[in-house]
Each structure stands twice: as structure tokens, then as C-alpha cells.
Amino acid sequence: MSGWKEMVVVVAVLVEVVVVVVVAEHNKTNGDVWSDSADFSDFKWTPLDYFRSRGHSLLTDLPTRLFLHERGDVKKEQRSWGDIPGTYLPSTNSSIVENAQCRSDVDAFLRVVTDYELLALVIKQEGSSLWPLKLPDSWGKVPDGIMYGNVLTWGVMEECTRLMVNTTIENPLLDVHFRGRYCLVKYRNKKGATTTQQQQQQKAVQSLQHNIQEIPQARMGSLLSVSPFPLVSYGTCMPSSCTPSDLLVSIEAVLGNYSSDLTVDCHTKDEIKWLNAGDVVFIVFLGIIGSVLLFATVADVSSNFYKKQELRKGPLRFLLVFSVSMNLKKIFHINVKEGPHVISCLHGIRAMSMVWVVWGHSYFIDYRAVVNVVYAAQLTDNVFEQTIMGGNFSVDSFFLMSGLLVMYGVLKEYNRANKINWLKYYIHRYVRLTPPILLTGAATATIARFVLVGPEAGSVERAVVDVCRENWWRDILYISNLPNIMKSCLPQCWYVCVDLQLYLVAPLVLLPLLHKPKIGMIWMGVVTIIAMVIPMIILGVYSIPTNLVFGHPAVEAKAYVDTYGKPWCRAGVYLVGMWGGMFLHHYKDRHLKLKMWQTVVGWLLAATLALLVVYGIADYNTLVNYKPITLGIGITYDILSRMAWGIAVLWVIVACHKGYGGPINTFLSHPSWQPLSRLTFSMYLVAFMVQSLYVGVIYTPMYFNHLNQFIQTCGMLFISGIIAVIISLISEGPIIGLEKILLGS
């Protein structure tokens, strides 16, 4: 232990010597910016102690050094703070800001930073904590790397909110007491403005931007006049006596009449978010359901411990379905001896597809909070990015599996009972899906806002929490994909809505197949062709090439028509799954005989189809060096890609289930996938909301690259998995148990 301590001491001494030498040489070269007679014997590592110990020369010159990066002999009148009020601070003009205490505190700050004698007294005062320097130091100023896309001038929120000012000086008189209030200011041009109005808006923004660029700072300065990136979002710190409206009206005075989309979101360290009625209701619900889970768990453990199994068959069974211990065992149970009728490879496909979805979501959700937009755009031109963005086809895997299981389950039940209870068919689906959605939506609309603590908390709360409060009912009615996907509490529920809508009309295909199999198969073929033709007609009529993530069409579409989240555009791959379910049911008790060459050809064709779907139009699906995609290529790809992906995945399922999967089946059917597979639905619901809220939690923007996104995705999956277990214990597990009791297995 003593060896490393001695090493630290030696390194510290060497660094101190280097600092002394460098500073001394600097003084000799640059005059008396730092006095040659300064004594460095009291040098300390703590910055605050160091600033206080340098004496008058350093203290009076520090604001210039900190923000202007200029020599200390620059004339005072050149160090202008005149544009600060109305940009970073509320105006001191009483005709603009009525708040007298706010004007007084702002004026006191300006007095301190412009009067260097007074600044020296304030900083030397015990307990000042350098607040005149920390307050502007926390502002978002023109950032490094602006030509690389770094236009997020958030500043340092915690430096501001931790600021506590209690300064009293008798001569000259200064009595100021406040805490720091951090604010993020955003401005966007007025929507629907005419050309003249847009020009006037641009001038107003340039005026505001000029103030940001010309404040004392050590950045790019005049080069910003040719920058293609507008700085219309910045963080600032002001006295807590000032309100967001004080800053808002001050900035509006700069912008004139063109500030309709101006927002100011502020935070303080001790701010309190009060509970509203919705929060209270949800918390009470959690308390009640938590009590039920506790009582059920105690009853479950007690009945097993005392071997009172007869109690479990009476009315107590309605309570026992809420048992945490019992439902946890079901979630994490691993069955290593599944029967021949269990398609075990679906566990691996389901889990991997969900991970692919979450990974892909992290790229476009986080894009609004990255500091290297230019580099992020360049990432779209590599194979790895195409792989990740191909995650949208993982949703088609879910549609395929859904169609397959619906067909397989209905045929199996019809063979067993010679009838189908269609009422139970519909009730089962709605009851299984709705509770997790309702619980996730309720949490998002209520208590989710309490985790939003970063600079973007306000905008995220408006975009996620407020929208959820207004549109939660659309998700449980399964109409959130009609007409606008984004006007829903849980945007990711578009998939659940489409899946349920297809499930509702599936009996139109199933009924003829059950009663007249030959006619039913012909009818099913006709419906499959129709499912391919409908999106083709829509794409052709409206000149929509395809739904590429980064694609650029050669011809602009005539109108925006959603072909991504509508059931009539997703029915094709669902029907492929139904064909597969019928095939597997036909061979459920029979061995499928394939020769070696047939197996090899099948795997090669499936791999080729999958690779063509994901990478076939990579030259079009990029932001750099792209080729505009023509209407013909786009329509052909859009129609065939999802069907082709479905066929490729269907081969994997059939081959693995029928003994032709080899190591792929060993991997996909491994029992360790089972717990994650059971949680995929809840994780799918939760992960997107966790990712959406994350931008409102972080204090600094993110650097965008594949490694960071991979690490973040792992964290999101872990957090989402924990929450998914809780949701499953509260909703999915008990609902499945109650359904079995009330409706039968």
C-alpha cells in the first residue's frame, strides 16, 4: 500500500513543478497578467482554493480568461455583457419584466461581473463558492465540433442547480441571495408561415443567435455566421427569483412577434413535482395490487408449507393466481423435455427478434440527443448499420409467428373438440393483451414524469407523458394505428393493434378451411394474392416507393399514406404464417422426409432471401452516397421483401421443428431462451417507453457510435426486463390463471 501512495506523492510534486514553471514562463512572456511576484507556495489542487489564493490580478482577469480567451490587458469596454439580459438572463427593463426581485438579482450579477474590483471582493469572501463564475460557466455556449453536428448547447445543468448564493458586502453595498435555476430555451419557426413571415422569423432568430454567439466565450466566434447549423436551443442559468415567464417575455422582446414556438423549461435543485389526481389513483392501485400480491404469496407459501392442498381447490384459488412465488416459478421455469407438438425454436426466434427491435429503436430515438450528427449520418453507409436498421423486419417475424400459432392452435382445437368456441377465441386475445398495455400506459401517463430530471425533461414530458394522458384509450381499443401511429400513448402498440385486427378477421379464412378444406385452401390462396395486391395499388397510386429508413425517392410521393402500420399492408406475412401453421399441423404426427440436397437447398434459399431483404437495397437505404430509389424498384421491394422474409423465417421454423435445423435448432431451441421468450411482450411494451424517457433523464448529450448504442441497448434490455417481470407478476400471470379458472384451459 505504501508503494503506490509514495508514487502518487511523487507524481503530484512533479506536476506541481511543471505548473509552476509553465506559469512563470507565461508571465515572463506576456507581462503582468499573473504577477511575477505571485507566491505559489500555497498552490492547492482544489480549484476553488486555487482561485482564491491567486490574488487581485488573477481574480480581476478570470472572467476574461474564462469566457473571452483574451489577454488581461483588454480594455474593460471591450468585454461587453450588454446582450446577456434578454438572452441568457431576464431583462432588467421594468416594462418587460415585472418581477422586481428578479430584476434586482440579475442587476446584482451584472454589477459583479462587470466591476472587477467588486468581483474580487465577492470571490474572496468566505462561502462565495465562485458563484459569479459558475453561473455563466454553466450556460450553454457555442460548442466544439459544431461543423460535425454538435448543436446541442445544453450547458451544465447540475452546476447551475447546485448554485447557492448568499453574499453580503457593505462597501460597495451588495446583498444578494438566490439559488440557481436552470432553463433550456428552444425556438422553432412558426408553422404555416408565408415566405415573408419566414424571412422575418429568420431575422429574429439571427438576432437571438447573434446574442448567443457574441457573449463572452472561448469558441468559434465569427465563423458561426457561415455555419449551416442554427443554434436555436441553449441552456442557461438564472437566479431562482426569476420565473420561466420572466425569461420567456425577455426573449420574446428580442424575437418580436415571431416567437410562437418558443419554449422555456426550467428546473431547480429543490423543485417539487406535485401529485395530480391520476398519479394518486395509480399509486393507490399499486398499493392495492401490492397488498393482494403479498396476501396471495403468503397464502401460497403457507398452504404448501402446511400441506393444505385441499384449500388450493376452493375459493382460495382465485387469490393464489396472484402469488408472486408461483408466478415467478412459471416465468423462469425451464422445460428441458418439451413434447413433439411444442415448436421450441420459437422461443429463440421470439427473444432475438425482440432484442433486434430494441436495438434498432435505440438508433432513431437517441438521434435527437447526439453531438455528432454528421458522423451518425455516415454510419448509415456501412454493413453494420444496415443490419441494425433491418430490425424492422423482426416485426414481420412476430406477425409470421402470430399467424402460424393462430392457425396451428385453431386446427388443433378443432381436431380435439370438433368445434371452435369463437366467443372464447376473441375474449382470450383481448384479455391476454390488454392488462399489460393498460398498466404500461398508466405508468407512462402518471409516475413516469418523476424520473425526468435532465435538461430535456420538459420536452419529453410533453411528447410522451402528456400525449399518453390524452390518448391512452386508443391503445386499449386497439385503434392507435388508425389513422396516426404517433397519436397514441404507446406508439409501439401499432404492432399489437395490427396483430389484433388481423386476428379479428382471421376466422374469415379459418371457417372455410375448417368445414370445406379444399375450398378453404383456394380461398386462402385468393386472400394471399389480394394481400399482396392492395399495398401495390396504394404505393402505385400515391407514388410511394417504399418505407426505407434512410431512403431518398427519385420522385416525391403525391401524398403521405401510411403503409407501415396498417393491417391491409401487413396481412401478407401474417398469411404466410397461417400457411406455415397449416403445414405444421398436417405433419404434427408425421415425419417430414427431406433428402440431404433438399435440406441444403432449403437453407441456402432461406439465407439468400434473408440477406437480399436486409442488404439488397443498401445503396438506396443510406444518408451518404445514396442512389435515389425509383418507384418501380421501391414498390417491388416493398411488396416482395416482407413476404420473402416471412418465407425465410418459416423455413427456419419448419426445418428446426422437423429435425433439419442442426446447430441452428440447438441454438434457437435451447431451454435458456424460455424465460426471456415469456417476457417478450411486456419487454416490447416497456423498452420503447424507457428509451423514450431516457433523453429526458440524461444531463449531457450523447456521442453516437455503434459501441455506445450496443452498451446502451444492453442497459435498456436489463432495465426493461426487470420492469417486465413486475408487469408480468401484476397482470399477465394473474390474468392467465384467472382465465384458466373461468374459461378453462
Side-chain angles (χ1 to χ4, degrees), residues 704-722:
F704 193 94
N705 61 28
H706 290 312
L707 178 60
N708 287 345
Q709 296 309 115
F710 174 76
I711 294 172
Q712 185 189 118
T713 299
C714 291
M716 293 296 175
L717 288 170
F718 178 75
I719 295 172
S720 302
I722 294 175

Side-chain angles (χ1 to χ4, degrees), residues 290-327 329:
S291 301
V292 173
L293 294 176
L294 177 61
F295 292 141
T297 305
V298 171
D300 180 32
V301 174
S302 299
S303 62
N304 284 327
F305 181 79
Y306 292 106
K307 298 181 180 180
K308 299 289 186 180
Q309 298 302 315
E310 67 276 4
L311 296 176
R312 304 175 70 90
K313 299 178 181 180
L316 186 63
R317 71 186 191 277
F318 290 97
L319 177 63
L320 292 178
V321 298
F322 291 90
S323 171
V324 172
S325 60
M326 184 173 63
N327 287 324
K329 290 177 183 178

Side-chain angles (χ1 to χ4, degrees), residues 397-638:
S397 299
F398 282 114
F399 283 126
L400 174 92
M401 289 185 285
S402 181
L404 185 149
L405 292 174
V406 167
M407 176 64 80
Y408 190 84
V410 168
L411 291 178
K412 183 179 178 181
E413 174 65 15
Y414 187 78
N415 282 355
R416 184 191 69 83
N418 202 32
K419 65 176 182 179
I420 297 294
N421 186 332
W422 294 108
L423 180 60
K424 184 187 293 187
Y425 170 89
Y426 288 115
I427 293 176
H428 166 78
R429 195 67 158 192
Y430 186 83
V431 169
R432 289 287 295 273
L433 295 178
T434 306
I437 293 175
L438 191 57
L439 189 60
T440 305
T444 304
T446 55
I447 60 175
R449 64 190 179 93
F450 291 97
V451 305
L452 301 175
V453 294
E456 288 281 359
S459 61
V460 173
E461 183 172 344
R462 288 188 293 272
V464 178
V465 178
D466 292 349
V467 171
C468 200
R469 288 175 184 162
E470 297 173 2
N471 299 283
W472 62 269
W473 56 274
R474 293 169 58 88
D475 292 330
I476 61 174
L477 291 180
Y478 299 95
I479 58 171
S480 59
N481 64 323
L482 307 169
N484 190 342
I485 291 176
M486 298 313 294
K487 287 296 183 181
S488 63
C489 173
L490 308 176
Q492 71 277 26
C493 269
W494 73 266
Y495 158 75
V496 188
C497 295
V498 172
D499 182 72
L500 183 65
Q501 290 157 7
L502 292 173
Y503 183 86
L504 293 176
V505 299
L508 297 178
V509 173
L510 293 170
L511 282 170
L513 200 62
L514 294 176
H515 300 289
K516 299 288 183 180
K518 292 184 179 179
I519 296 176
M521 290 183 65
I522 296 174
W523 169 240
M524 190 172 169
V526 172
V527 173
T528 303
I529 295 173
I530 293 174
M532 295 177 62
V533 172
I534 289 178
M536 183 183 300
I537 294 174
I538 295 174
L539 295 172
V541 170
Y542 293 98
S543 301
I544 305 171
T546 186
N547 281 299
L548 293 180
V549 179
F550 304 116
H552 294 72
V555 179
E556 290 296 326
K558 296 178 181 178
Y560 171 76
V561 178
D562 180 20
T563 59
Y564 187 83
K566 298 297 183 286
W568 46 84
C569 295
R570 292 284 188 165
V573 69
Y574 192 90
L575 285 162
V576 171
M578 295 185 75
W579 282 105
M582 184 174 62
F583 180 84
L584 288 177
H585 181 266
H586 180 72
Y587 281 95
K588 67 181 177 66
D589 296 318
R590 301 162 58 188
H591 178 64
L592 179 64
K593 296 181 180 180
L594 293 177
K595 296 180 180 179
M596 176 63 73
W597 71 268
Q598 293 173 321
T599 304
V600 172
V601 170
W603 278 107
L604 288 176
L605 288 176
T608 301
L609 285 175
L611 291 173
L612 286 175
V613 168
V614 177
Y615 305 107
I617 54 171
D619 290 342
Y620 303 101
N621 192 25
T622 177
L623 294 175
V624 293
N625 302 321
Y626 64 86
K627 297 179 181 178
I629 187 167
T630 62
L631 187 62
I633 294 176
I635 293 177
T636 302
Y637 176 79
D638 198 272

Side-chain angles (χ1 to χ4, degrees), residues 247-290:
L247 183 60
L248 182 67
V249 296
S250 301
I251 300 174
E252 286 178 338
V254 175
L255 294 175
N257 297 323
Y258 306 101
S259 56
S260 61
D261 288 327
L262 181 69
T263 60
V264 176
D265 296 310
C266 297
H267 309 273
T268 58
K269 190 175 185 301
D270 55 352
E271 67 180 339
I272 299 175
K273 293 184 178 180
W274 299 102
L275 296 173
N276 57 36
D279 301 333
V280 173
V281 170
F282 186 68
I283 292 173
V284 170
F285 165 76
L286 290 180
I288 295 173
I289 196 68

Side-chain angles (χ1 to χ4, degrees), residues 338-344 408 412 587-590 657-658:
E338 294 185 344
H341 295 164
V342 177
I343 310 174
S344 55
Y408 190 84
K412 183 179 178 181
Y587 281 95
K588 67 181 177 66
D589 296 318
R590 301 162 58 188
H657 185 57
K658 288 301 178 181

